[in-house]
Amino acid sequence: MIMDNMRTVFMDLGRLRDDYDSQILIEGIFKDLRDSRLTKTYSVGYNEGRNRRDLLEMFRKSHSRETSFISPKSMSIQTDNFLTLEFLKSCRQPEHHGGYFLNLKGSRVEKSFHRRLNDADLDILFAYVVRRPKISGISLPYNNLTNQGFAKLSEFLANQKSIRYVNVMNNEITHLDENKLEEQICKWKVLCLNLRGNKIGQKGGETMAYLLTKNSTIRHLALGETEQTVNSVISIVNTLVQFGGNETLTKLDLTKTMVSTNAGELCRHLACVVEVSHTLVELILSKNDISDHDLEIFLEGLKHRNVLSRLNLSSNRITSHGAELFANVLPKTELKLLVLAGNMIGDSGAMAIGRTFTFTKLKYLDLSKNNIEDKGMTYLILAIDRPMDGFLISGNKITDHVAKVIQAQFMYSLLNPKMLDIRLWFDEEGNIHFARRNLWRYSDWYYYVPEWKHESKINHCCCPIRGGILLQLLSDE
């Protein structure tokens, strides 16, 4: 930026970095700055759509009197229309393995530039990333990227081997071009792809299922709230169970599909996946209107010994009967993490899980908002016979009596205050009470969680998908 008595000139040279004529342009600009003073205000960048050589001619003709030479280092980009070097640098956040990820959440960008990212902004972003191999993740949630922007991102990922995590959730992507993506996705080195919230529909789901057969690196795929149907789910299932299909996918998010009127069909096909898949360790089925009958169908596949160790069934229609069915199957599974938050299992459901808890491998259990009262919660807490990595119970109809039971479990080191989403406190008379405690819920699609290690402890890490700090759950898997 050139200030003082001169008019301001904004320049975006990021897209020219690898171009032959970029050096000519830069030399021409600074030659004119040494010999003249610009008499007009220009905004130079991708939004203007000007040809680079036209820009060169423009600067050659735009001078009137002598001025001092301004070095490139003294110049900075300061405009609401472009991502700046300083802003991108401020968006870097450390990753747990020593690298960095870019956290460009839409609200953060809008705060600085009064708008969210669009397709044209990707050129500057790519130019910044390509020169920084330590950047391993790009997080672009809640922006205005369209189909064209995703196509540009795919082309970039095919040539950039350092990017491992990509989050484009809740943008405006509605279509996946199978022909273009087929050539590119086989070159990707991406481990985690989050498409959640983009309305790609059934056709997009079927395209993604086909592309999974061409890719051998994607391990985490989030398709929650993307308007998937039974047909697209079947396509994904076939990709995971058929010989010659995908054998690398370990985590799949199918939150809130469009099959609420036929959840039984969804559960029937997913039961086949968990029964035969040798790679799928995590499945998220939140907000799918799954009833007790639908759950019974799913459990037919789950009761066979398999590798599934994390299951999220939050915000469905599972009642005490469904919880009892689940309790009978749990000892036969490898589940270490179970999320049933936002259902209606009540006291009898909690007691059913408590009766079989000793015979399970559970290390993390979320039963928040399930209409559980003191009787059922007390029974469940007393059934815990090993240290837990997480135990979430807020939002139930429990009283201070439960707080006393929890305090007793603290004494036996079976519950850790850091693992609970409630906290205990004492009043002036020494009576014990509890209050809700803010604790990150387990969500591998909003926040990246590293693989579980061969030890049981709690750690904190930065998350390369969306940023922030999340409780890292480690089990003795």
Side-chain angles (χ1 to χ4, degrees):
M1 184 174 67
I2 307 165
M3 299 296 292
D4 296 333
N5 298 324
M6 298 176 57
R7 296 296 186 95
T8 303
V9 177
F10 296 120
M11 292 184 294
D12 165 32
L13 301 177
R15 62 183 296 178
L16 309 179
R17 183 171 292 164
D18 298 318
D19 237 298
Y20 169 76
D21 58 348
S22 63
Q23 186 62 32
I24 301 176
L25 175 60
I26 294 172
E27 291 175 356
I29 290 172
F30 288 106
K31 180 179 182 299
D32 286 337
L33 290 177
R34 287 192 300 267
D35 300 337
S36 64
R37 181 177 298 273
L38 301 180
T39 58
K40 296 183 180 180
T41 300
Y42 295 102
S43 180
V44 180
Y46 55 85
N47 284 336
E48 305 298 329
R50 297 190 181 102
N51 181 275
R52 286 185 284 270
R53 297 195 180 278
D54 291 341
L55 293 177
L56 181 58
E57 293 299 321
M58 176 185 72
F59 274 95
R60 284 176 175 171
K61 295 177 182 179
S62 301
H63 55 82
S64 61
R65 55 183 179 176
E66 186 176 354
T67 187
S68 59
F69 174 69
I70 310 285
S71 67
K73 291 184 179 181
S74 66
M75 299 181 65
S76 61
I77 306 170
Q78 301 286 343
T79 174
D80 290 340
N81 295 325
F82 307 115
L83 294 176
T84 66
L85 179 64
E86 290 79 4
F87 177 74
L88 290 172
K89 188 175 181 179
S90 70
C91 291
R92 291 192 311 175
Q93 296 185 10
E95 220 271 282
H96 68 281
H97 57 64
Y100 295 92
F101 70 98
L102 285 179
N103 178 18
L104 292 170
K105 186 179 177 181
S107 58
R108 182 174 188 174
V109 177
E110 187 174 25
K111 184 177 180 180
S112 299
F113 298 98
H114 309 293
R115 67 174 179 83
R116 306 205 173 199
L117 297 184
N118 55 43
D119 298 343
D121 295 315
L122 294 178
D123 291 330
I124 295 178
L125 178 62
F126 295 161
Y128 178 82
V129 172
V130 75
R131 293 299 183 90
R132 292 162 178 83
K134 286 189 176 182
I135 295 179
S136 59
I138 301 177
S139 181
L140 304 168
Y142 301 98
N143 283 294
N144 297 322
L145 303 183
T146 66
N147 304 332
Q148 182 181 0
F150 187 75
K152 293 171 65 175
L153 177 62
S154 176
E155 183 179 0
F156 173 74
L157 294 174
N159 298 295
Q160 189 67 19
K161 309 304 180 183
S162 63
I163 303 300
R164 295 290 186 267
Y165 314 103
V166 177
N167 181 1
V168 289
M169 67 178 291
N170 290 103
N171 277 273
E172 298 176 5
I173 303 168
T174 59
H175 174 71
L176 303 179
D177 192 329
E178 181 177 316
N179 296 326
K180 291 184 178 179
L181 291 175
E182 182 179 0
E183 300 177 359
Q184 298 166 356
I185 200 168
C186 60
K187 301 177 183 178
W188 285 17
K189 298 300 179 182
V190 174
L191 300 179
C192 183
L193 176 62
N194 188 345
L195 286 168
R196 184 168 179 157
N198 293 287
K199 309 305 180 184
I200 60 176
Q202 174 182 325
K203 185 174 178 58
E206 293 173 346
T207 299
M208 199 67 230
Y210 172 72
L211 295 175
L212 285 175
T213 64
K214 305 296 182 180
N215 180 274
S216 59
T217 62
I218 295 178
R219 299 173 62 186
H220 310 170
L221 176 63
L223 292 175
E225 301 181 63
T226 56
E227 299 185 348
Q228 298 308 300
T229 66
V230 172
N231 290 336
S232 58
V233 171
I234 291 175
S235 299
I236 296 171
V237 168
N238 291 337
T239 299
L240 298 179
V241 302
Q242 287 184 351
F243 178 77
N246 184 278
E247 297 181 352
T248 59
L249 194 68
T250 62
K251 302 178 184 181
L252 178 63
D253 179 7
L254 291 175
T255 297
K256 199 176 182 180
T257 61
M258 301 293 287
V259 295
S260 58
T261 57
N262 200 2
E265 191 71 13
L266 171 70
C267 290
R268 182 175 292 107
H269 288 93
L270 292 176
C272 179
V273 173
V274 299
E275 180 179 354
V276 304
S277 175
H278 298 292
T279 59
L280 192 66
V281 298
E282 181 168 347
L283 185 59
I284 301 178
L285 298 174
S286 301
K287 302 178 183 178
N288 275 298
D289 206 31
I290 296 173
S291 65
D292 294 341
H293 176 67
D294 304 326
L295 178 63
E296 186 174 10
I297 297 173
F298 177 75
L299 293 178
E300 286 300 313
L302 187 64
K303 68 182 180 181
H304 299 281
R305 288 289 179 182
N306 51 66
V307 299
L308 192 72
S309 61
R310 281 161 269 179
L311 179 62
N312 188 333
L313 289 167
S314 60
S315 302
N316 284 292
R317 293 193 294 117
I318 301 172
T319 67
S320 57
H321 176 63
E324 291 172 2
L325 294 173
F326 217 127
N328 294 331
V329 174
L330 273 175
K332 303 176 184 179
T333 71
E334 298 295 319
L335 286 180
K336 296 179 176 63
L337 179 146
L338 177 61
V339 180
L340 291 174
N343 285 284
M344 302 169 287
I345 69 172
D347 279 352
S348 57
M351 294 173 68
I353 294 176
R355 283 192 292 270
T356 60
F357 186 87
T358 301
F359 307 102
T360 70
K361 298 181 179 181
L362 289 177
K363 300 285 288 182
Y364 182 103
L365 181 61
D366 185 352
L367 295 179
S368 56
K369 300 180 181 178
N370 264 286
N371 294 325
I372 303 173
E373 299 182 8
D374 287 354
K375 180 181 178 181
M377 189 60 69
T378 300
Y379 189 96
L380 177 61
I381 292 173
L382 293 176
I384 296 176
D385 60 349
R386 56 181 175 272
M388 298 287 288
D389 284 341
F391 186 56
L392 282 58
I393 58 175
S394 66
N396 287 295
K397 299 178 180 180
I398 53 180
T399 66
D400 294 339
H401 170 74
V402 174
K404 298 178 182 178
V405 179
I406 293 175
Q407 177 68 12
Q409 291 294 75
F410 286 168
M411 297 175 62
Y412 294 103
S413 300
L414 295 176
L415 286 179
N416 187 325
K418 295 181 180 179
M419 304 303 103
L420 294 171
D421 61 343
I422 64 173
R423 61 180 179 85
L424 306 185
W425 60 279
F426 295 85
D427 60 22
E428 295 178 354
E429 298 178 357
N431 298 317
I432 190 170
H433 307 280
F434 72 89
R436 190 172 185 273
R437 174 172 172 260
N438 291 327
L439 179 70
W440 291 112
R441 260 38 182 190
Y442 181 87
S443 181
D444 207 7
W445 305 116
Y446 286 93
Y447 305 92
Y448 171 73
V449 180
E451 290 297 315
W452 292 4
K453 306 298 181 182
H454 292 284
E455 53 185 330
S456 180
K457 67 178 182 180
I458 292 299
N459 196 3
H460 288 80
C461 68
C462 288
C463 314
I465 293 301
R466 226 180 103 183
I469 302 297
L470 173 69
L471 192 65
Q472 177 183 345
L473 304 175
L474 306 179
S475 78
D476 49 6
E477 199 172 30

